[in-house]
Amino acid sequence: RGSKCRARAQIRRPPRWGLAAAAMAAEGGGDAPSRPPGCQGCALQLVQLNMAERRVEINEDALERLGRRLRELGTSRLVVVSVMGAFRTGKSFLLDLILRYLRHEDAAAAAGLAEELVSPPRPRPPRGLGEPFGLPAWFTAGGHAVEGGEERQDDGFKFRGGMDPCTEGIWVWSEPFVRQVGGRPVALLLLDTQGAWDGNMTKEQSATVFGLTALLSSKLIYNIDRQIQEDKVENLAYFMSFAQAALRKAAQTAEGHCQEEVERPFQSLDFLVRDW
């Protein structure tokens, strides 16, 4: 596991050597495999499941490592983009594509090509004529193997084919992406969550994981396969009522809280309906 940055944390408080080895791998030390340029960071498990006690627990070492990196960047503003939804619907794959796009932005800015990122996209060819639709530069620049897949598991959020769940708890990419918003630097974090209704989590664990994800997220993407069904909306409402109850309880002992924030847990919610 010393060469694997995405080593799963142990239940309760993980031993520090695991994260130390992960840090070495992320920085190219030890026997870590070579990684493409710009692929800094690794996936850290912030929240894990204790199935024996049917609890959700915080990985304090991972949280400490993330906080230390944010302090090093010196940004006072933070944006969290997350994806949640049913298991085996491509949430981690989607985040890996976002990760690839952000890395391409950084590489273009470092090479003095930032103006190309804001140039208008090429027009789409007419439908029905059989003309190929060219892939954007950010997609092809990352290579043929997608980050997080079998060939590049350490470069993104891990995913695999089949029906077995792959992501457990809540994961975050350890290296924030700094962007300018309103003339001020903002640190952007990507958050990956365990798929809902996978048969492993209890209803309470599901509500805790997804409610916490929604409360942490600046932009929450609700990933849905093919069509928006009533049960998916009802489940989302249940998760949020669970989160709001916890938020109200915390607000009773907090000073200077805003009642509007308690009653409106979503900062930004997007429904992504996918047919692939």
Side-chain angles (χ1 to χ4, degrees):
R1 288 183 183 265
S3 63
K4 293 291 185 180
C5 190
R6 191 184 164 84
R8 286 194 176 276
Q10 299 297 319
I11 294 299
R12 293 193 180 278
R13 191 178 181 89
R16 292 185 179 275
W17 67 264
L19 288 175
M24 290 180 59
E27 296 170 3
D31 57 351
S34 59
R35 303 175 68 184
C39 290
Q40 292 86 3
C42 66
L44 296 176
Q45 189 178 26
L46 294 182
V47 174
Q48 56 202 24
L49 305 182
N50 184 335
M51 302 307 299
E53 300 182 12
R54 306 171 77 86
R55 297 178 47 168
V56 174
E57 298 174 345
I58 302 297
N59 185 334
E60 296 181 14
D61 284 346
L63 191 61
E64 178 185 348
R65 177 180 171 183
L66 179 63
R68 184 169 61 249
R69 181 62 184 130
L70 288 170
R71 290 190 294 272
E72 290 173 353
L73 291 175
T75 55
S76 59
R77 305 176 71 191
L78 180 66
V79 170
V80 179
V81 176
S82 66
V83 180
M84 62 176 286
F87 79 108
R88 309 308 302 160
T89 55
K91 298 181 303 301
S92 299
F93 178 80
L94 173 63
L95 280 167
D96 286 329
L97 292 182
I98 297 175
L99 192 62
R100 173 175 288 204
Y101 178 80
L102 293 171
R103 286 170 172 163
H104 179 70
E105 279 192 331
D106 285 348
L113 302 175
E115 65 278 2
E116 294 186 5
L117 297 174
V118 296
S119 59
R122 290 172 293 180
R124 297 180 179 180
R127 292 179 177 269
L129 299 181
E131 296 183 22
F133 180 72
L135 295 173
W138 68 266
F139 188 85
T140 57
H144 71 281
V146 178
E147 297 82 346
E150 292 184 359
E151 297 181 38
R152 299 181 58 183
Q153 289 188 3
D154 294 337
D155 297 335
F157 295 101
K158 183 180 177 182
F159 68 89
R160 62 169 179 260
M163 292 304 297
D164 294 330
C166 187
T167 304
E168 178 186 294
I170 299 177
W171 295 75
V172 66
W173 194 252
S174 66
E175 185 64 23
F177 294 87
V178 179
R179 296 293 183 268
Q180 293 290 326
V181 179
R184 299 174 60 184
V186 177
L188 169 63
L189 290 176
L190 298 181
L191 208 65
D192 193 12
T193 62
Q194 182 169 349
W197 314 291
D198 64 358
N200 294 329
M201 289 191 292
T202 65
K203 192 174 184 179
E204 291 75 16
Q205 286 176 326
S206 295
T208 302
V209 167
F210 301 123
L212 181 59
T213 299
L215 294 177
L216 290 173
S217 301
S218 309
K219 176 174 285 293
L220 174 63
I221 302 173
Y222 194 32
N223 187 68
I224 297 176
D225 185 28
R226 290 183 173 79
Q227 60 181 336
I228 301 177
Q229 298 176 330
E230 184 177 358
D231 62 326
K232 298 297 188 294
V233 179
E234 290 176 348
N235 281 316
L236 181 62
Y238 168 75
F239 295 150
M240 293 320 303
S241 64
F242 190 92
Q244 280 183 303
L247 201 58
R248 292 190 188 102
K249 185 176 181 180
Q252 292 175 357
T253 58
E255 296 181 0
H257 71 275
C258 177
Q259 186 63 27
E260 181 182 358
E261 293 180 357
V262 175
E263 299 302 327
R264 193 191 66 178
F266 291 120
Q267 296 188 53
S268 176
L269 172 64
D270 288 351
F271 282 74
L272 174 62
V273 182
R274 298 168 56 169
D275 62 354
W276 53 278

